[in-house]
Amino acid sequence: MYQYAASLTKLIEQFARLPGIGPKTAQRLAFYVLNMPKNQVEEFAGALVEVKNTITTCPICCNLTDVVPCRICSDEGRERSLICVVEEAKDVLAIEKTREFKGLYHVLQGSISPMEGRGPDDLKIKELLKRIGQDEVKEIILATNPDIEGETTALYLAKLLKPMGIKTTRIAHGLPVGGDLEYADTATLTRAMMGRHEIT
Amino acid sequence: MYQYAASLTKLIEQFARLPGIGPKTAQRLAFYVLNMPKNQVEEFAGALVEVKNTITTCPICCNLTDVVPCRICSDEGRERSLICVVEEAKDVLAIEKTREFKGLYHVLQGSISPMEGRGPDDLKIKELLKRIGQDEVKEIILATNPDIEGETTALYLAKLLKPMGIKTTRIAHGLPVGGDLEYADTATLTRAMMGRHEIT
């Protein structure tokens, strides 16, 4: 049967391997690449290889970085007594965007998920405990996701850290800003009620 | 402000340039690439560059190909008196999948679209006329898309080819197989009624 030229078929297959890219989208992307100027395609190909060659994990906070230690860990202006624990590197960027947090981070590189066979040993918890032993850490903020896996992970870490005498906090749950009470789900509303605070 | 490492940011930007890929998807894809084995990433990068280096346009039918002339044009088993005119290389694959058509193709590389500033001169019509002059073409099947641009293109070509004394046909419009009459739009139903044929 007739097929596209081998190199085109191969590129379509390569695109189709990516998450969320079906066969039709893969075909569309491959055709788009065909019509791109050659130097742009080479730049794209170069970016793919470069990312594998330059990005590594920070030995301190386990965040993705191209310098060792990472820019946040080596930033002298950061409050070193405060560590915000997140699941993924993306979460660091999300929190940094608020421009509110001036402490350090620790990226667990996942969450506890028995369903997906991920236990505490698969996360960068050992590295976190090591940091607590070495540095003068005063507070650990658990900023894992507000889903079952994230809550489980936060609970696990809280139980682990409490005997060590370190203040352990969890980011607040409640109504999203700009949200509508009417459309809030019961679980969120319950947490919002429980987490109420006096207006001063 | 904190940003991802430069090479990661660059890869996210590269993905975001592709059609239908927003910033969030681009980020997800870049992170996926980060977790891919290095040899797979290199294979992907290689496929990108290779497609630009190997794929060219067939000088006869204007289809995409890695050999000149393309595999269909050089296939001796094909009926050379029949040319199916399509808009894009993708359409060739779609028709080939039916395994019903044994003639040759001609890829216009687009359709007449005044809205997008594409006129007849932007299509591979000159190349089609050249083929008609040289080969013993008996029938031209106009298989452009059943939308406004495709219909316009088909009409334009039909008017151009008629004085040349070549049989010019248009693929049929009607109800899609497995479709439901109740949900068919009026235009399709009208065409289906007009295109009715006697059951023999």
Side-chain angles (χ1 to χ4, degrees):
Chain A
M1 209 189 110
Y2 170 79
Q3 277 187 322
Y4 291 132
S7 60
L8 186 55
T9 309
K10 198 173 150 197
L11 184 61
I12 294 172
E13 282 167 5
Q14 289 290 337
F15 272 120
R17 276 190 189 182
L18 300 176
I21 307 276
K24 282 277 171 193
T25 310
Q27 184 181 286
R28 190 160 47 83
L29 293 176
F31 274 99
Y32 183 83
V33 168
L34 255 185
N35 291 324
M36 268 164 76
K38 196 173 168 180
N39 65 326
Q40 274 184 29
V41 176
E42 280 164 357
E43 207 181 315
F44 185 14
L48 280 167
V49 176
E50 203 193 330
V51 93
K52 283 303 283 187
N53 289 339
T54 55
I55 302 286
T56 172
T57 301
C58 172
I60 301 170
C61 72
C62 305
N63 192 4
L64 297 171
T65 181
D66 53 355
V67 286
V68 172
C70 78
R71 289 190 172 79
I72 294 178
C73 284
S74 58
D75 184 349
E76 289 300 323
R78 292 267 175 173
E79 215 172 305
R80 311 200 80 81
S81 60
L82 205 57
I83 295 181
C84 178
V85 178
V86 294
E87 292 178 21
E88 306 282 353
K90 301 171 203 184
D91 304 329
V92 172
L93 189 66
I95 295 174
E96 281 297 293
K97 274 186 184 159
T98 67
R99 293 167 186 263
E100 286 294 327
F101 181 70
K102 297 291 172 214
L104 302 176
Y105 290 93
H106 191 81
V107 181
L108 295 173
Q109 297 189 2
S111 55
I112 297 171
S113 172
M115 291 285 286
E116 289 171 37
R118 275 199 314 273
D121 293 343
D122 300 315
L123 308 182
K124 301 290 179 187
I125 293 176
K126 219 168 19 188
E127 287 79 355
L128 176 63
L129 297 179
K130 202 176 139 201
R131 290 177 75 179
I132 294 168
Q134 288 173 344
D135 299 338
E136 20 145 19
V137 180
K138 282 182 192 140
E139 184 179 346
I140 301 276
I141 304 171
L142 300 172
T144 50
N145 284 332
D147 54 14
I148 295 176
E149 288 84 6
E151 291 292 344
T152 310
T153 311
L155 214 67
Y156 178 87
L157 285 176
K159 277 193 176 163
L160 199 72
L161 296 170
K162 212 153 207 183
M164 302 174 77
I166 293 159
K167 186 179 171 188
T168 310
T169 55
R170 178 86 174 104
I171 48 164
H173 290 74
L175 295 172
V177 175
D180 195 318
L181 208 108
E182 190 183 345
Y183 298 115
D185 62 293
T186 334
T188 303
L189 208 49
T190 309
R191 295 295 284 265
M193 291 293 280
M194 279 164 58
R196 69 190 181 276
H197 48 85
E198 204 173 345
I199 301 164
T200 47
Chain B
M1 209 190 111
Y2 171 77
Q3 278 186 319
Y4 290 132
S7 59
L8 187 55
T9 308
K10 199 174 150 197
L11 184 61
I12 294 172
E13 283 167 3
Q14 290 289 338
F15 272 120
R17 277 189 188 184
L18 300 176
I21 308 276
K24 282 276 171 190
T25 310
Q27 184 181 285
R28 189 160 48 84
L29 293 176
F31 274 99
Y32 183 83
V33 168
L34 256 185
N35 291 324
M36 267 163 77
K38 196 174 170 181
N39 63 327
Q40 275 185 27
V41 176
E42 280 164 357
E43 207 181 316
F44 185 14
L48 280 167
V49 176
E50 203 194 330
V51 93
K52 283 304 281 185
N53 289 338
T54 57
I55 302 285
T56 172
T57 302
C58 174
I60 300 171
C61 71
C62 305
N63 192 5
L64 296 171
T65 181
D66 53 354
V67 285
V68 172
C70 79
R71 287 191 175 76
I72 293 178
C73 285
S74 57
D75 185 348
E76 288 301 322
R78 292 267 175 173
E79 215 173 307
R80 311 198 83 79
S81 60
L82 206 59
I83 295 182
C84 177
V85 178
V86 295
E87 292 180 22
E88 306 282 353
K90 299 172 204 182
D91 303 328
V92 172
L93 189 66
I95 295 175
E96 280 298 293
K97 273 186 184 159
T98 67
R99 293 169 187 265
E100 286 295 327
F101 182 70
K102 297 291 172 214
L104 303 176
Y105 290 93
H106 192 83
V107 181
L108 293 174
Q109 298 191 1
S111 55
I112 297 172
S113 172
M115 292 284 287
E116 288 172 38
R118 274 199 314 273
D121 293 343
D122 299 317
L123 309 182
K124 301 289 180 187
I125 293 175
K126 221 170 14 191
E127 288 79 356
L128 176 63
L129 297 179
K130 202 177 140 203
R131 290 177 74 179
I132 294 169
Q134 288 173 342
D135 298 338
E136 20 147 15
V137 181
K138 283 185 194 136
E139 184 179 347
I140 302 277
I141 304 171
L142 300 172
T144 50
N145 284 331
D147 54 15
I148 295 175
E149 288 85 5
E151 290 293 343
T152 310
T153 311
L155 214 67
Y156 177 87
L157 286 176
K159 278 193 177 164
L160 200 70
L161 297 170
K162 214 157 204 177
M164 302 175 75
I166 292 159
K167 187 177 169 190
T168 310
T169 55
R170 178 89 174 104
I171 49 163
H173 291 76
L175 295 171
V177 175
D180 196 317
L181 207 109
E182 190 184 344
Y183 298 116
D185 61 292
T186 333
T188 302
L189 209 48
T190 309
R191 296 296 284 263
M193 291 293 279
M194 279 163 58
R196 69 189 180 277
H197 48 86
E198 206 173 341
I199 300 164
T200 47

